[in-house]
Amino acid sequence: MDHSVLANSIRHNGIGHHPLGAGSYYFKDNLVGWLCDRVGEAQIRIFIGAQPNSSPHMGNICNIATAFALGQQLQTAGKVVCVCFDVVDTAPTPELDGNQQIDGVTYQRSLRWSQADQVHLGQFKEILAEFSRTSGVAFAVRKQAEILASTVALEHLRNIISHRAQLGALLSPTTGHIGIHAACPVDACGLSDKGGIRNRYLENDNILFHCPVHGDFAISLRDPQQAARLELNTPMPNLLRNLLFGTDPAAHWIQVIGADYAGFYQEQLLWRPIGAGDIRLEKLPLIVYSPQILDWSGVKLSKSLYVEPSAYSYLRGTNLEYMLSYELLRASGLTLEHIYRVGYHWIDQPRKLFRAYSIYHLHDLLTAAKDNAKLSPLEDTEKNDG
Ligand SMILES: [Zn+2]
């Protein structure tokens, strides 16, 4: 069967609907006012993060645009805002056998060990700088080492480790171990036990890591410089971050995260550990989910690590190719400012924020932004579905 013919044979009337339900019902008119009511502090820090393992695609860029648009509207409401971009440079390097099995244990070499993150980090910084200029919101870039090399972070980490039996079962359902690892210090090795399977936690706050080639090496949790070498699996920094944010006396943090992390993931891997007993927070997490950008099948545009090289070949050479990378966007005639305008519209009219967008509909919105037209000109009236 020719699937392209089948897909193209489906026609629609071009009318986008905004049925109101759940978040889009309760926050449809005023998300910024709700957030300001939750935040007593004048200083707000907006967290965003990404693994710089590919050129930023439309999903990444829309997430960043949404964060700055939220920041601009919070500043208009009287807050002082900074967008903080966390570089998840401890993620695996796709080109270096991202994940390899040795004696039944999975090892990785991180982006920061291979320095593969540098290739794409420049593009992320360019995008941040441009959105900062457009929005008037300041930004900062933080690497994992900077986050871990603080005494407060290490205090929280030691607390997590002391509850590792309970938290390992919650945060790593397949292994039961908490996902702390570190690259083997031997030059040109860099292997790290991704699941923390063979770690030993010593009484003196040392973690003994194991390299399958070079044996054991220790990192002290009392030494911020050593601890800067730690690498954490996604649910771990998520929990650690929320502990840091929830106890930060200087600012209130709002996280802007892609909507693929909403729902079951966050409920089980963040809210459950926070509610599990010994973890206490003064300020509960405040998370705004940015709309997912979906391909033809309804799945999010994915990072290069998880897709075949031939993925999205149906977009190559079409006028939607720019969705796949920042380089292609720059060559398309559409700009970051057009994307920002769409993101601003989502925050300004939040009933349009609590939903996903197909690449086809997003293209219509971006084209309208470029033509200085009203966004979503073909919208139907909204209906209460909730
Ligand atoms: Zn080694």
Side-chain angles (χ1 to χ4, degrees):
M1 186 191 301
D2 183 341
H3 290 280
S4 62
V5 170
L6 184 64
N8 289 337
S9 70
I10 299 168
R11 302 286 177 208
H12 58 74
N13 59 7
I15 297 173
H17 299 275
H18 292 281
L20 296 177
S24 65
Y25 179 84
Y26 285 96
F27 306 105
K28 62 181 179 291
D29 296 322
N30 189 4
L31 176 67
V32 171
W34 167 270
L35 292 171
C36 285
D37 287 347
R38 309 272 85 68
V39 176
E41 295 89 335
Q43 303 274 343
I44 291 181
R45 290 181 171 264
I46 296 180
F47 162 88
I48 47 174
Q51 298 180 8
N53 55 8
S54 66
S55 178
H57 57 60
M58 191 54 73
N60 301 125
I61 300 172
C62 282
N63 177 252
I64 301 171
T66 305
F68 278 97
L70 176 63
Q72 184 179 352
Q73 294 183 43
L74 285 167
Q75 284 196 159
T76 303
K79 300 292 185 183
V80 179
V81 184
C82 179
V83 170
C84 295
F85 177 79
D86 276 17
V87 183
V88 187
D89 51 9
T90 50
T93 310
E95 296 80 13
L96 291 176
D97 299 334
N99 294 303
Q100 55 176 295
Q101 294 277 322
I102 303 173
D103 296 333
V105 176
T106 304
Y107 292 87
Q108 70 161 47
R109 289 185 169 98
S110 69
L111 291 168
R112 75 174 175 199
W113 180 83
S114 63
Q115 300 193 335
D117 55 330
Q118 298 306 316
V119 180
H120 306 294
L121 193 53
Q123 294 185 346
F124 277 98
K125 286 180 177 170
E126 202 176 309
I127 292 165
L128 291 161
E130 173 75 23
F131 284 146
S132 178
R133 270 194 297 275
T134 307
S135 64
V137 176
F139 77 99
V141 176
R142 313 188 308 169
K143 296 193 170 191
Q144 295 303 294
E146 295 164 44
I147 299 160
L148 281 167
S150 87
T151 48
V152 184
L154 291 185
E155 212 173 289
H156 288 304
L157 197 54
R158 285 198 295 271
N159 187 27
I160 290 173
I161 288 169
S162 69
H163 298 95
R164 63 185 174 279
Q166 178 194 25
L167 290 174
L170 288 177
L171 298 178
S172 310
T174 50
T175 69
H177 297 273
I178 50 174
I180 299 182
H181 42 104
C184 171
V186 173
D187 276 352
C189 179
L191 284 174
S192 108
D193 170 1
K194 186 178 165 74
I197 307 292
R198 303 186 69 173
N199 296 356
R200 278 175 287 160
Y201 298 91
L202 308 182
E203 290 294 317
N204 60 359
D205 283 339
N206 275 10
I207 308 177
L208 214 51
F209 295 98
H210 184 78
C211 169
V213 184
H214 303 103
D216 292 341
F217 58 97
I219 285 182
S220 169
L221 290 173
R222 293 176 190 171
D223 179 348
Q225 263 193 321
Q226 287 189 41
R229 290 169 48 207
L230 294 172
E231 303 170 351
L232 306 176
N233 288 355
T234 308
M236 282 280 290
N238 188 34
L239 177 59
L240 179 62
R241 190 165 65 228
N242 278 280
L243 298 181
L244 285 166
F245 294 170
T247 53
D248 187 343
H252 206 111
W253 288 79
I254 297 174
Q255 299 166 67
V256 176
I257 297 178
D260 48 330
Y261 279 88
F264 197 72
Y265 173 90
Q266 215 69 286
E267 287 156 15
Q268 300 309 311
L269 301 184
L270 177 65
W271 289 100
R272 188 177 287 277
I274 285 176
D278 294 300
I279 306 281
R280 284 276 175 265
L281 281 183
E282 290 156 33
K283 295 178 262 192
L284 288 172
L286 204 43
I287 304 174
V288 173
Y289 293 99
S290 60
Q292 274 197 268
I293 309 306
L294 307 180
D295 75 1
W296 71 271
S297 77
V299 79
K300 71 164 184 169
L301 283 188
S302 176
K303 287 169 288 194
S304 57
L305 179 61
Y306 301 109
V307 296
E308 298 296 316
S310 61
Y312 308 120
S313 55
Y314 68 96
L315 291 175
R316 301 278 174 198
T318 74
N319 63 343
L320 292 182
E321 192 177 36
Y322 69 89
M323 296 278 174
L324 300 176
S325 79
Y326 182 51
E327 287 107 344
L328 292 166
L329 172 71
R330 279 191 300 203
S332 72
L334 290 164
T335 65
L336 292 173
E337 199 180 333
H338 302 138
I339 299 173
Y340 186 78
R341 220 184 127 200
V342 171
Y344 191 93
H345 188 66
W346 291 341
I347 299 293
D348 194 45
Q349 300 191 24
R351 66 185 191 281
K352 297 175 184 173
L353 178 73
F354 292 85
R355 52 161 291 176
Y357 287 83
S358 71
I359 50 177
Y360 307 103
H361 186 43
L362 182 63
H363 177 69
D364 290 345
L365 296 179
L366 293 172
T367 306
K370 183 184 178 189
D371 297 342
N372 227 10
K374 182 175 174 279
L375 295 177
S376 300
L378 295 176
E379 263 170 31
D380 193 13
T381 50
E382 61 204 41
K383 301 274 191 320
N384 181 3
D385 200 26

